[in-house]
C-alpha cells in the first residue's frame, strides 16, 4: 500500500492565455555500457524512464497540472512521484511545449490547449510503491527506443531537441554528477 496520494481535481489548476499550464519531466539515469567496442574507458549509457498511457498505445513522460500552491519545479517533481514512482534532482529546464489535449477541455480552456514546462530529472530513487502504480508501468529505455515508442509528437520534440541537445552539452562539459539548476522557466 502506498502512503502517498495523487492530487485530483482542477480547483487549483493554473491557466494562462487560454491554456492549461502543465509541468512534466524526462526522468533519466546512467547505467554501465557493456558494449565492447567502446574501448578501455567504461562509458555510461543514459536511459530515460517512460510510463504507459492510460488511454491508448505508446509511452509517455510523467506530466500533469501545475497548481497554484506550488512552483513549476515542485509540480514536475510531484508528477514524477505520482505517475512514475521516482524521486530525483531537477537539473535543467528543457523548454515549453504547446499541445492540444483531447481529454482536458473545461470552462477555462474549452479548446484543450496546454503549455507544458518540461525538466530533466536525474533519478536518485525508484519507489517500491507510488500513487498510480495500479495503472502505470514504468520502463527504462535508451534515447532511440524512447523516441520510437513515444506517443505524442510534442514529447518526442522535448526528448530530441530539449533533453538530447542539453544532455550532449552537459556531458561534454563534465556533467553527469547531478547538480545545476538550469534556466528559469517563468
Amino acid at each position: 500500500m502506498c502512503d502517498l496520494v495523487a492530487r485530483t481535481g482542477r480547483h487549483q489548476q493554473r491557466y494562462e492565455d487560454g491554456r492549461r499550464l502543465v509541468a512534466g519531466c524526462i526522468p533519466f539515469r546512467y547505467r554501465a555500457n557493456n558494449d565492447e567496442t567502446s574501448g578501455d574507458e567504461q562509458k555510461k549509457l543514459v536511459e530515460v524512464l517512460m510510463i504507459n498511457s492510460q488511454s491508448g498505445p505508446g509511452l509517455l513522460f510523467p506530466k500533469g497540472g501545475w497548481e497554484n500552491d506550488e512552483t513549476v519545479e515542485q509540480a514536475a517533481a510531484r508528477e514524477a512521484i505520482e505517475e512514475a514512482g521516482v524521486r530525483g534532482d531537477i537539473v535543467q529546464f528543457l523548454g515549453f511545449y504547446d499541445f492540444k489535449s483531447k481529454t482536458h477541455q473545461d470552462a477555462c480552456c474549452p479548446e484543450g490547449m496546454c503549455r507544458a514546462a518540461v525538466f530533466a530529472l536525474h533519478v536518485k530513487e525508484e519507489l517500491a510503491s507510488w500513487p498510480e502504480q495500479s495503472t502505470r508501468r514504468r520502463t527504462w529505455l535508451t534515447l532511440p527506443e524512447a523516441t520510437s515508442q513515444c506517443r505524442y509528437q510534442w514529447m518526442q520534440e522535448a526528448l530530441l531537441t530539449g533533453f538530447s541537445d542539453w544532455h550532449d552539452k552537459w556531458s561534454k562539459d563534465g556533467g553527469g554528477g547531478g547538480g545545476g539548476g538550469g534556466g528559469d522557466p517563468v
Side-chain angles (χ1 to χ4, degrees):
M1 183 70 187
C2 181
D3 293 335
L4 301 168
V5 177
R7 289 185 174 200
T8 58
R10 298 262 180 269
H11 60 281
Q12 295 226 38
Q13 178 62 58
R14 289 181 191 241
Y15 294 88
E16 179 182 273
D17 299 327
R19 292 180 294 213
R20 178 175 174 246
L21 299 181
V22 172
C25 62
I26 298 178
F28 72 99
R29 72 176 181 190
Y30 295 100
R31 72 172 169 84
N33 185 356
N34 297 325
D35 182 1
E36 306 222 354
T37 62
S38 62
D40 296 334
E41 183 182 330
Q42 182 76 308
K43 296 206 175 211
K44 290 185 176 181
L45 181 67
V46 65
E47 293 180 315
V48 294
L49 181 68
M50 298 188 82
I51 55 175
N52 64 298
S53 168
Q54 294 179 318
S55 62
L59 297 176
L60 314 170
F61 294 110
K63 61 116 181 94
W66 172 18
E67 299 187 356
N68 289 324
D69 64 343
E70 61 191 350
T71 67
V72 68
E73 293 88 354
Q74 289 169 333
R78 175 179 50 78
E79 290 296 335
I81 292 168
E82 288 179 2
E83 293 188 348
V86 293
R87 286 192 174 110
D89 298 328
I90 296 229
V91 293
Q92 180 69 34
F93 171 65
L94 301 174
F96 286 110
Y97 299 88
D98 293 330
F99 66 98
K100 184 171 183 171
S101 172
K102 293 183 176 96
T103 58
H104 292 295
Q105 298 170 345
D106 57 29
C108 296
C109 186
E111 295 180 20
M113 296 307 297
C114 299
R115 169 163 278 188
V118 180
F119 297 85
L121 177 98
H122 191 184
V123 173
K124 302 295 185 181
E125 178 184 11
E126 286 186 59
L127 303 175
S129 63
W130 67 96
E132 296 185 20
Q133 78 180 70
S134 65
T135 57
R136 301 281 192 188
R137 286 182 328 276
R138 53 188 178 195
T139 307
W140 288 101
L141 302 163
T142 64
L143 297 180
E145 290 169 338
T147 302
S148 70
Q149 294 187 47
C150 194
R151 178 172 180 172
Y152 296 117
Q153 181 66 37
W154 74 268
M155 285 190 179
Q156 283 182 350
E157 184 182 334
L159 179 62
L160 293 172
T161 64
F163 181 83
S164 293
D165 289 352
W166 162 76
H167 187 266
D168 287 347
K169 281 188 244 170
W170 189 56
S171 297
K172 287 182 179 111
D173 291 342
D184 184 6
V186 260

